[in-house]
Amino acid sequence: MPVPQKTGAAKAKQGPNSLPKATASKGTKAASKKKDDEDGADLGEGGEDWTQGKTLVKPPDQLDLTEAELKEEFTRILTANNPHAPQNIVRYSFKERSYKAVSSVDQLAVHFVLDGNLLHRDSDEARRQRAKQGLPEENPMDAAVETDEEKTETPAAEAEEEAGEEGGAEERPDSVEVKGGGQKAANQFNFSERASQTLNNPLRERECQTEPPPCANFSATANQWEIYDAYLEELHKQEKIKEKQKALPTKKDEDKGKKKMMMVEMQSDDISKVSKAAKIVERMVNQNTFDDIAQDFKYFEDASDEFRDQEGTLLPLWKFQYDKAKRLAVTALCWNENNRDLFAVGLGSYDFTKQGRGMLLFYSLKNPTYPECTYHTTTGLMCLDIHPKLPHLVAVGFYDGCVGVYSLKEEGTQPIYKSTAKSGKHTDPVWQVRWQGDDMDHNHNFFSVSSDGRVVSWTLVKNELVYTDIIKLSLEGSPSDGTEGMQLPTMACGTSFDFHKQIDYLFLVGTEEGKIHKCSKAYSSQFLQTYDAHNMAVDAVKWNHFHPKVFISCSSDWTVKIWDHTIDTPMFTFDLNSAVGDVAWSPYSSTVFAAVTSDGRVHVFDLSINKYEAICQQPVVAKKKTKLTHIQFNPEHPIVIVGDDRGYVNSLKLSPNLRKKPKEKKGQETPKGPEVEIAKMEKLLSLLREPESNNS
C-alpha cells in the first residue's frame, strides 16, 4: 500500500519531531486491517450462496461458434477525426486568384466552456468583493507569516491527512478552519506573485484628413424629348464601353506576353551565367562518349586501300540529328570558312503538298548530339550561304520567295534583314543564294535565284534590303522585251547558279528546263552563252576551285556532266542510274568530285585515276527509301557531310585512295600549289581534244 512509503518519506524528511505521528499512523493501519478482515469474513459466509445461484442463461437464437471463431479478434480503430466535419471547404486565394480547397479541417468538438477569472487579493476589485460578502480585511504581513507557517507544517499536514483518510471521513480535521484561525478564506491556496515584466508598446493613433467633395446645386425641367435624348446618350455610352471591353483582352494578352518574355529573359539571364561552363562540360562528356569516333576521325587510315586497285571507301563517323527536325528534309549545307568544325544546315521540304515550317541549325564536330544554334522559321528554308569573311552573317532563301540575313551575334530568333513584297521579294521559291564582294560603298551584298526567272542582287543598307534585278531568264535564249503580261509565259525558272572563282562578273545559271546560261553582271539584256545541258531540271552547277574554264552540273535525269565553258558540248558525262541531288568539287584536288543520288548512295570520282567510273560507290543510309539531297566537302579535314530527306546529316571520312595528291617526279620541276591542279586538268583536256583533232 502507498501509505507506509509516504510515512517513511515523511519520517526521513522531518526527523525525530515526526515520530508520534508515525506511530499514530501505524495504529490506524492496524485498525483498518482488522476491519477489512471482518468484512472479508462476512463476505465469505454468503459467497457460496452467490456462486450457487449464478447460472449461465443462453438465448435460443444465439449462434453456436467454434473455438477458432470465438478466439478470432476484431480490431476497431478509433480516431480523433470528427465524422461530421466538412471536407469540401474552399477559400479564395488572392495569390492565385481562384478558390482553393482547404487541406486542414478543424476536428475539435467543444462540449463545455466556462470562462473564469482570478483577482489579486490586494487589488481594489478584491477588496470590493470582500466588503460585499462581509469578509474582514486581511493584513498582508499576517498573510506572509501565515504562508511561512504553512510551508513548515506542510509535511506534517500531509501525514495527518493520510492518517485521516485511513481512519475515515469522520476523523478528518478541517485544515482550512485550523489554518485560518476559524475564518474561512476565499481561496484555499495563498496567492504568490510569479509574473514577469514585459514591455508594453505605446499606443499610437493614426488619423487622416480628407477634403469634402465639391457640391453643386442643379435644377432643370424634364420634358419628353429631353428624356429621350438622355436615353440615347446612355445607349451610346454603353456601346462604347462594350467596344472597349472587347479590345481589353488583346491588351491583357500583350501584357501576359510581356510578362512571359520578362520571365524568359530572367531565366535566360540565370542560364547565361553558367552557359559557357555547361557547354565545356557537355563537350567533355561527348568527347568521352564518342572517343572511338574521334580517334578514327583523327588517326584512322584504311590500310586495305593498298590492295583495292586504287579504289577507296567512306568511313562513317558522327550522325547529326535533331528531334524537332525529323519530318523535314535537308535542303542546304554550308561549312564555316573560319571555324572549320562548324557547319550550317537548312531544313525544309521539296514536296509541294507538304510545305510548312523550316529550321536553320548550326552543328559542331565537337558536339554531335545537339546543335549549337537553332532558328525556327514559319516557311521552309531552301538555301543558305555563310559569309566568307564575316562568318556570323548567314544569307537564307525561303520557299515563299523571301530572302533574309541572320546574325549569330544577335540574341533574337528572327533575321535582321528580310525582304518583303514592297522590297522586291521573289514570287516563287528561292533555290540558291551566294555572297559576293562588297560594293563601292562597302555595303555587303548577296545574289539569289528563284523559279520566277529573276537573278537579284540584295544590298544591306542600314536596316533594309535594297534589291537590283541583274537578269531575267527567258526560254528563247534572251530576255524578251514587252509588257509584264507578255513576259510571264516566256520566263525560265532558275534552279541554281554559281559565280566564277577568279572572274568576278561571270556566273552560271541552271534552269528547270535543263539549260545552263553563262551570264555577266554587266549585261542584263542577253546571255553570253547557253548550254543544252540536261533533259530535266539542273539541280546544281559549280565552277572548279582550281581550273578557270571547268564547271560541273548535275540533274534529276541521272547524269553528271563536266564542261569547258568555251565549248558547247560536255567533256565528261556520267550516268549514275538514279536522280542526282547534288554534286561538289573537292577542295584539295581539281579532278576529284562527289555526288549523291536518290537511292542513298555517295559516288566519288577521281578523273586522274579513272575517267569512266567512280572509284567509290557506297550506300550511307540504313533505309532504302531515304533520299540523299546534299553533299559538302570540309575545306580542311578529309571528310564530307551528307544530308537526306529525313533531316539527318551523316559525316564520312575519305580513305587515302580518295584524296591522293600528285607526286613530284625526279628531275622535273613541277609547279606547286594550285598550279599543280591546273596542270592536271589541262592534261585531261588535252587528252580529250586529241581524238577530236584526229577525227577532223
Side-chain angles (χ1 to χ4, degrees):
M1 293 178 67
V3 177
Q5 292 180 2
K6 288 185 179 180
T7 54
K11 182 178 179 181
K13 290 180 181 178
Q14 296 180 4
N17 296 328
S18 60
L19 286 174
K21 292 184 179 180
T23 54
S25 63
K26 287 181 181 179
T28 55
K29 180 180 177 184
S32 63
K33 280 184 178 180
K34 285 182 179 181
K35 189 175 182 180
D36 293 339
D37 293 340
E38 292 175 357
D39 296 338
D42 296 338
L43 289 171
E45 292 175 357
E48 295 178 358
D49 300 336
W50 177 77
T51 54
Q52 291 174 0
K54 184 178 180 183
T55 58
L56 183 62
V57 179
K58 183 177 180 182
D61 57 345
Q62 183 176 353
L63 294 175
D64 293 330
L65 301 177
T66 61
E67 291 294 332
E69 291 176 344
L70 289 172
K71 291 180 180 180
E72 186 178 358
E73 295 182 358
F74 295 92
T75 59
R76 290 186 180 180
I77 301 172
L78 300 179
T79 60
N81 295 334
N82 186 3
H84 301 291
Q87 302 295 330
N88 56 351
I89 297 177
V90 294
R91 288 191 175 88
Y92 186 77
S93 174
F94 291 93
K95 182 179 180 181
E96 301 181 8
R97 295 184 178 182
S98 63
Y99 284 94
K100 295 291 182 181
V102 178
S103 59
S104 61
V105 180
D106 188 10
Q107 305 291 344
L108 179 63
V110 179
H111 298 286
F112 177 74
V113 177
L114 177 63
D115 296 331
N117 56 356
L118 188 66
L119 298 177
H120 194 279
R121 64 181 182 179
D122 295 335
S123 62
D124 296 336
E125 183 66 24
R127 291 193 184 95
R128 283 196 294 270
Q129 288 187 8
R130 280 198 297 269
K132 187 176 180 181
Q133 296 175 2
L135 299 176
E137 292 289 337
E138 293 183 358
N139 191 3
M141 294 300 294
D142 298 340
V145 173
E146 195 173 307
T147 53
D148 294 340
E149 291 177 356
E150 285 184 356
K151 287 181 182 178
T152 55
E153 294 178 0
T154 300
E158 288 179 357
E160 289 178 359
E161 288 177 2
E162 292 170 359
E165 289 176 357
E166 294 175 358
E170 296 178 357
E171 298 176 359
R172 184 183 301 168
D174 192 357
S175 59
V176 178
E177 293 181 357
V178 174
K179 292 174 185 175
Q183 297 178 356
K184 189 174 182 180
N187 191 356
Q188 184 178 357
F189 304 99
N190 291 331
F191 178 79
S192 60
E193 186 178 0
R194 295 180 182 176
S196 59
Q197 294 182 355
T198 57
L199 180 63
N200 296 325
N201 294 324
L203 297 177
R204 296 180 181 177
E205 295 182 359
R206 185 175 296 176
E207 299 177 356
C208 58
Q209 185 175 1
T210 59
E211 295 180 359
C215 299
N217 295 326
F218 174 76
S219 61
T221 57
N223 298 326
Q224 189 174 1
W225 53 84
E226 289 180 354
I227 297 172
Y228 179 75
D229 293 340
Y231 273 110
L232 287 179
E233 289 180 3
E234 186 66 24
L235 284 174
H236 288 306
K237 287 181 181 179
Q238 290 179 0
E239 289 176 358
K240 289 181 180 179
I241 291 171
K242 288 181 180 179
E243 290 178 358
K244 288 181 180 179
Q245 288 178 353
K246 289 181 180 178
L248 280 177
T250 57
K251 294 182 179 179
K252 290 182 180 178
D253 294 339
E254 291 177 0
D255 295 339
K256 289 180 180 178
K258 290 180 180 179
K259 289 181 180 178
K260 288 182 180 179
M261 288 295 294
M262 291 291 291
M263 292 294 293
V264 171
E265 289 177 0
M266 291 292 291
Q267 293 177 358
S268 62
D269 292 341
D270 297 336
I271 295 171
S272 62
K273 295 178 182 178
V274 295
S275 60
K276 188 174 182 181
K279 283 185 178 180
I280 295 173
V281 173
E282 184 183 15
R283 291 188 178 183
M284 291 169 64
V285 173
N286 287 325
Q287 187 176 1
N288 293 333
T289 305
F290 302 102
D291 180 64
D292 52 346
I293 299 178
Q295 296 292 335
D296 292 343
F297 163 73
K298 192 69 178 176
Y299 303 109
F300 179 77
E301 299 295 345
D302 194 354
S304 61
D305 276 13
E306 299 177 2
F307 311 100
R308 282 204 178 98
D309 192 17
Q310 296 182 341
E311 292 184 356
T313 57
L314 297 171
L315 176 67
L317 296 177
W318 301 282
K319 185 177 182 180
F320 302 88
Q321 59 184 4
Y322 188 45
D323 293 338
K324 296 181 180 179
K326 283 185 177 180
R327 297 184 180 180
L328 300 176
V330 176
T331 55
L333 292 173
C334 186
W335 286 97
N336 193 315
E337 292 292 336
N338 288 14
N339 302 314
R340 302 297 176 87
D341 65 311
L342 187 69
F343 63 93
V345 182
L347 296 165
S349 178
Y350 288 116
D351 192 350
F352 174 77
T353 61
K354 296 181 180 179
Q355 289 302 320
R357 63 187 179 90
M359 295 183 74
L360 173 62
L361 307 178
F362 289 86
Y363 283 104
S364 173
L365 299 179
K366 299 176 182 177
N367 184 13
T369 58
Y370 198 81
E372 299 293 321
C373 299
T374 58
Y375 296 93
H376 297 266
T377 60
T378 56
T379 58
L381 192 144
M382 307 309 296
C383 55
L384 64 90
D385 190 31
I386 300 176
H387 198 285
K389 296 181 180 179
L390 301 172
H392 65 278
L393 293 178
V394 183
V396 296
F398 298 99
Y399 191 85
D400 61 353
C402 295
V403 295
V405 178
Y406 284 91
S407 176
L408 300 183
K409 292 184 178 180
E410 300 292 332
E411 295 181 356
T413 59
Q414 299 298 323
I416 57 174
Y417 297 94
K418 191 173 182 180
S419 63
T420 59
K422 293 182 179 179
S423 60
K425 62 167 275 191
H426 292 283
T427 57
D428 281 336
V430 181
W431 295 111
Q432 203 159 1
V433 291
R434 280 287 182 271
W435 286 101
Q436 289 296 294
D438 297 348
D439 60 3
M440 299 295 292
D441 297 329
H442 302 286
N443 294 321
H444 309 308
N445 66 348
F446 64 93
F447 285 70
S448 65
V449 63
S450 171
S451 299
D452 61 358
R454 296 166 56 208
V455 178
V456 183
S457 172
W458 303 90
T459 306
L460 280 63
V461 180
K462 293 184 179 179
N463 295 326
E464 62 178 352
L465 284 174
V466 179
Y467 78 99
T468 304
D469 287 341
I470 300 299
I471 195 169
K472 293 184 178 180
L473 307 177
S474 63
L475 294 174
E476 290 80 12
S478 61
S480 60
D481 297 329
T483 61
E484 185 178 359
M486 295 297 293
Q487 279 185 349
L488 286 175
T490 60
M491 295 295 289
C493 299
T495 56
S496 60
F497 73 147
D498 193 25
F499 287 85
H500 200 278
K501 309 299 178 185
Q502 300 172 8
I503 307 173
D504 182 54
Y505 60 85
L506 194 64
F507 65 94
L508 299 167
V509 181
T511 64
E512 193 174 339
E513 292 74 28
K515 294 184 179 182
I516 299 176
H517 303 291
K518 183 170 66 174
C519 308
S520 173
K521 296 180 184 178
Y523 300 99
S524 61
S525 60
Q526 62 181 359
F527 304 133
L528 299 181
Q529 194 172 354
T530 300
Y531 309 92
D532 291 328
H534 298 278
N535 298 323
M536 296 181 71
V538 180
D539 292 329
V541 56
K542 295 181 181 179
W543 288 99
N544 191 283
H545 295 294
F546 301 97
H547 201 284
K549 294 182 180 180
V550 179
F551 67 90
I552 193 170
S553 65
C554 69
S555 172
S556 299
D557 63 356
W558 299 9
T559 59
V560 174
K561 296 183 180 182
I562 297 177
W563 304 77
D564 184 345
H565 77 89
T566 59
I567 304 173
D568 293 339
T569 58
M571 296 186 297
F572 295 95
T573 301
F574 302 97
D575 191 344
L576 303 185
N577 297 324
S578 186
V580 184
D582 194 13
V583 68
W585 289 105
S586 71
Y588 54 83
S589 176
S590 62
T591 58
V592 177
F593 66 91
V596 291
T597 56
S598 59
D599 59 355
R601 292 177 176 271
V602 177
H603 304 260
V604 182
F605 292 82
D606 191 348
L607 301 178
S608 63
I609 296 175
N610 192 336
K611 297 188 289 291
Y612 306 103
E613 294 179 353
I615 60 175
C616 177
Q617 294 184 15
Q618 184 172 327
V620 297
V621 291
K623 297 182 179 180
K624 294 182 180 179
K625 294 183 179 180
T626 304
K627 299 178 182 179
L628 299 181
T629 56
H630 286 275
I631 185 171
Q632 282 290 328
F633 281 86
N634 187 282
E636 180 180 359
H637 305 293
I639 63 171
V640 294
I641 52 175
V642 179
D644 57 29
D645 61 350
R646 296 180 182 271
Y648 301 148
V649 178
N650 295 289
S651 59
L652 309 165
K653 184 176 182 179
L654 302 168
S655 65
N657 281 352
L658 302 180
R659 45 190 167 93
K660 283 185 177 180
K661 294 183 179 180
K663 297 180 181 178
E664 296 182 3
K665 296 182 180 180
K666 295 181 180 179
Q668 294 182 1
E669 292 184 0
T670 56
K672 297 181 180 180
E675 297 176 357
V676 179
E677 304 300 332
I678 296 173
K680 285 171 62 179
M681 187 59 73
E682 284 290 347
K683 185 178 179 180
L684 283 172
L685 295 177
S686 62
L687 291 174
L688 289 171
R689 293 190 186 105
E690 284 179 2
E692 294 178 359
S693 60
N694 294 333
N695 293 332
S696 62

